Amino acid sequence: MNILLLEDDLILSAELCKFLESNHFTCDKIYDGETFLRQIRNSSYDLYLLDINVPKINGLEVCQTIRSFDKNTPIIIISAYGDLSDKKDAFTRLADDYLVKPFQFEELLLRMNSLLRRKAPSETSDQELIRVDDLIVNKTEQKVYRGGNEISLTLKEFQLLVYLAEAQGRTVSKQQITEHVWEHNFNTNTNTVEVYINFLRKKIDKDFKVKLIHTRSGFGYYLSPL
């Protein structure tokens, strides 16, 4: 099981990861919310541990951002804030549990195992999320995020993006796109595919240094950060 920890106390972070690793987890530690959100766009984890009072983006905002595209991965808040209002705020943002510092590591382990057991029977959510660099496509909810921000797409734009993303960097031809996205509902000699590729580029790539949608001249299109 892979755990991602957001904790800016270097000593606590190191001790907690060491404890989790001794109990057969892998643990990556991050010290600020901004870096944490970048990390989860590039790697998959089974559970998140979030401190609230951390630099750049606090743990509650991180929790809310995660829940905007991932409703299933368990989130436990670990915080020195013990007021009922703080706990209410965390649960309002759809955290699964809340543990007040200082706490015994064994208690945290019990709560983690309880959440992971509940998740196990329906652990299919990752199949519905496609990640390419900092782009996240949620097939279930038909939502797209890049750089942590939601991008509004029309239905056909979304279907085209999903088809490109599921190709996993392989080039798909104009003919293949028309078969899978439009089901031959227009003449392949028209420029409809090119028009929609341009629509996607304006929404997905325009404001980002790394371009994801590429043309392979004479062959088709592919989605890749390279």
Side-chain angles (χ1 to χ4, degrees), residues 2 6 8 10 26 29 32 37 39 87 111 122 125 133 157 162 183 185 206 221 224:
N2 300 316
L6 175 60
D8 66 336
L10 301 185
T26 61
K29 47 187 182 291
D32 70 84
L37 288 175
Q39 177 71 12
K87 296 177 182 178
R111 297 187 184 212
S122 59
S125 58
D133 197 61
E157 288 169 351
V162 168
E183 299 179 349
N185 286 334
K206 182 180 178 182
Y221 305 93
S224 172

Side-chain angles (χ1 to χ4, degrees), residues 3 23 44 62 65 76 88 105 120 138 164 179 196 213:
I3 310 301
N23 283 275
S44 178
V62 169
T65 299
I76 300 178
K88 182 178 179 181
F105 286 179
N138 187 321
L164 291 172
E179 290 176 358
Y196 273 83
I213 301 172

Side-chain angles (χ1 to χ4, degrees), residues 114-128:
S114 176
L115 287 171
L116 290 168
R117 280 196 300 271
R118 274 184 262 163
K119 178 193 174 189
S122 59
E123 193 173 2
T124 59
S125 58
D126 279 350
Q127 297 176 10
E128 301 304 313

